[in-house]
Amino acid sequence: MDDPATREVVVIGGGIAGLSAAIYLGRAQRDTLVIDSGHSMARWEPTVENYLGFAQGVSGKDLLSEGRKQAERYEVRFAEDEIETIAIEDSVFVLRGKKGNYRAKRLLLATGIFHLPPQIPGVKECLGHSMFFCKDCDGVRVREKRVAICGANNEAVEYALGMLLYTACVVIVTNGEKPHWSEQHARWLQEYEIPVHEERIHDVDHCDRKILSLRFEQGREVKMEYIFTTRGDIFHTELAESLGAKLDEAGQIEVDHCMRTSVPNLYAAGCVTPANCQMIIAAGQGATAAQAINRDLFEESLTTHSLRRFREVQLEEEQTVPEGT
Ligand SMILES: Cc1cc2nc3c(=O)[nH]c(=O)nc-3n(C[C@H](O)[C@H](O)[C@H](O)COP(=O)(O)OP(=O)(O)OC[C@H]3O[C@@H](n4cnc5c(N)ncnc54)[C@H](O)[C@@H]3O)c2cc1C
């Protein structure tokens, strides 16, 4: 259904960055709408252990639902929709979604990314439980365990080397891909004696989402407990690109220290920017973007005298309020 209002702010993406921004914008009394298609990566994490304030951990789903409730307390509105195109008409962003159309003076893109899991049968079922993407998030969980790093490039080698801080049992599996790491990286593999398995993996044996072993195509089976992959990431930047926003070499939206993109009135926050893809960083960026948007709208209200008109109404109404109430 179309939203008839031109919102002061629309946030596309109700994940960690978008919700954090929404809380700040709601508390700043900004007329804010969050449009979300419901695929936050945070849903995949059963126990987030590195988010400040949760000593026993918190599930990603709970962080999202509590974050939404927190934003709703400040009258932020939500729409479940997926935005397909955006145009700028008379300095207003006109958004077309699968279910409706929306208009906004300021737009925040908090659309996130998608980590590609390795194409190995059995892996998807173990996502977030014994199949991980992020050493910083999950390395500490695999201390003294048997860990395979899936990849064939320099990043995979560095991942494997970094993982040695947690466990002595680290192997690289390239799943049939020919290694294309540098000579220096090959030397490191030799120096640190990290085994490399180049065979294709037939499937992953698992039980209750716990990986038990890797079964290679030629019948060999290697006991394993965890897999990390060097992330192949898909950045959700199509909307930013369609508006002419600059991307960096990796395909992430370029932002300044206030989360402004190269397009006026367009902001971006969270994993879709060059941030390290962590929840607490996404939340911080959302808050930074919201503060910048709030400041920009305030300055605009001074130049356009809309604050003065608001004040006139306020003064008029104040005379009608009896003293002492
Ligand atoms: C398995 C797994 C485990 C993880 N564990 C941890 C962890 O333990 N600790 C940690 O710090 N981080 C962890 N992360 C990373 C964490 O999930 C991300 O850092 C965080 O979710 C990023 O927030 P974001 O707002 O940028 O993106 P997201 O939270 O992914 O939110 C993006 C939102 O935008 C919406 N969206 C995208 N395009 C559109 C559109 N066109 N229209 C409408 N809505 C749209 C999506 O549906 C989604 O809801 C993990 C990630 C994965 C995959």
Side-chain angles (χ1 to χ4, degrees), residues 12-196:
I12 306 181
I16 303 293
L19 287 174
S20 173
I23 292 162
Y24 270 69
L25 289 163
R27 287 173 58 83
Q29 309 290 290
R30 294 297 174 194
D31 173 24
T32 305
L33 173 72
V34 178
I35 303 170
D36 186 41
S37 55
H39 303 297
S40 167
M41 282 184 304
R43 292 173 313 144
W44 290 104
E45 180 53 69
T47 322
V48 183
E49 292 178 346
N50 58 352
Y51 201 92
L52 180 74
F54 296 93
Q56 304 309 318
V58 57
S59 84
K61 282 185 183 160
D62 284 352
L63 262 187
L64 293 170
S65 64
E66 289 300 312
R68 176 166 174 163
K69 280 187 216 153
Q70 202 174 343
E72 280 170 340
R73 271 187 67 193
Y74 304 106
E75 287 162 38
V76 171
R77 290 174 178 77
F78 283 81
E80 280 164 34
D81 201 353
E82 183 179 329
I83 299 303
E84 295 186 312
T85 61
I86 308 175
I88 302 175
E89 292 172 11
D90 298 328
S91 303
V92 169
F93 293 100
V94 180
L95 288 66
R96 297 195 195 294
K98 283 185 173 162
K99 296 184 190 164
N101 299 320
Y102 313 85
R103 296 167 65 83
K105 290 183 185 168
R106 296 291 185 280
L107 184 62
L108 171 60
L109 297 173
T111 44
I113 61 176
F114 178 67
H115 297 316
L116 284 168
Q119 297 295 307
I120 303 171
V123 150
K124 269 195 192 152
E125 294 85 323
C126 303
L127 248 172
H129 295 264
S130 52
M131 153 73 223
F132 299 126
F133 297 95
C134 164
K135 186 156 47 60
D136 295 339
C137 305
D138 301 305
V140 76
R141 295 178 211 255
V142 305
R143 275 174 295 182
E144 310 308 328
K145 303 289 183 195
R146 302 173 69 85
V147 177
I149 311 299
C150 193
N153 57 8
N154 287 349
E155 204 188 342
V157 175
E158 289 174 27
Y159 235 89
L161 293 167
M163 204 54 84
L164 293 176
L165 295 173
Y166 302 105
T167 177
C169 183
V170 180
V171 304
I172 293 184
V173 290
T174 70
N175 193 24
E177 204 180 326
K178 208 171 154 27
H180 41 93
W181 42 66
S182 74
E183 285 178 13
Q184 173 61 68
H185 286 76
R187 281 197 292 277
W188 278 329
L189 285 179
Q190 273 195 337
E191 182 184 345
Y192 290 93
E193 300 179 43
I194 295 176
V196 177

Side-chain angles (χ1 to χ4, degrees), residues 191-202:
E191 182 184 345
Y192 290 93
E193 300 179 43
I194 295 176
V196 177
H197 301 273
E198 290 187 34
E199 283 168 64
R200 276 190 77 81
I201 299 167
H202 180 270

Side-chain angles (χ1 to χ4, degrees), residues 297-308:
L297 286 169
F298 173 69
E299 284 172 7
E300 187 183 83
S301 71
L302 293 178
T303 15
T304 59
H305 303 281
S306 62
L307 187 60
R308 176 67 208 159

